[in-house]
Amino acid sequence: MTLERFQQMIATGKPLAGEEMITFMREQSDATRRLLFDLNGSYHSPEEIVALFSRITDNKVDDSFRLFPPFYTDFQCCPKRFIGTMNMRLL
């Protein structure tokens, strides 16, 4: 399973089922939770937060991005579908 295939399945509304899908989602969740624990567990400079959030979302986040942790997500695979822009707000 690849991230691209996972995203295609979500976009087409296909069921997220099967051993391969479950394994992929568990691996993605574990990797993202590690990054979230790092982000939320101690102080980080704005530059470090941009770098961590870029890793969480698997997208380059603009250097002007600001986040005041803690940050939580209900399903740790999905942040990789998230694209950060200069004009977004997380409330």
Side-chain angles (χ1 to χ4, degrees), residues 10 14 16 21 23 25 47 49 54 57 59 65 74 83:
I10 290 174
K14 292 185 179 178
L16 303 179
M21 177 61 69
T23 299
M25 290 175 17
E47 296 80 15
I49 290 173
S54 292
T57 61
N59 288 286
F65 174 81
D74 61 348
I83 305 293

Side-chain angles (χ1 to χ4, degrees), residues 32-49:
T32 302
R33 280 184 290 119
R34 289 175 189 270
L35 293 169
L36 289 173
F37 288 146
D38 186 9
L39 175 67
N40 294 332
S42 61
Y43 172 81
H44 295 284
S45 69
E47 296 80 15
E48 292 170 326
I49 290 173

Side-chain angles (χ1 to χ4, degrees), residues 32-33 36 40 56 70-80:
T32 302
R33 280 184 290 119
L36 289 173
N40 294 332
I56 290 166
F71 175 76
Y72 299 97
T73 179
D74 61 348
F75 177 54
Q76 285 82 24
C77 277
C78 292
K80 291 195 166 123

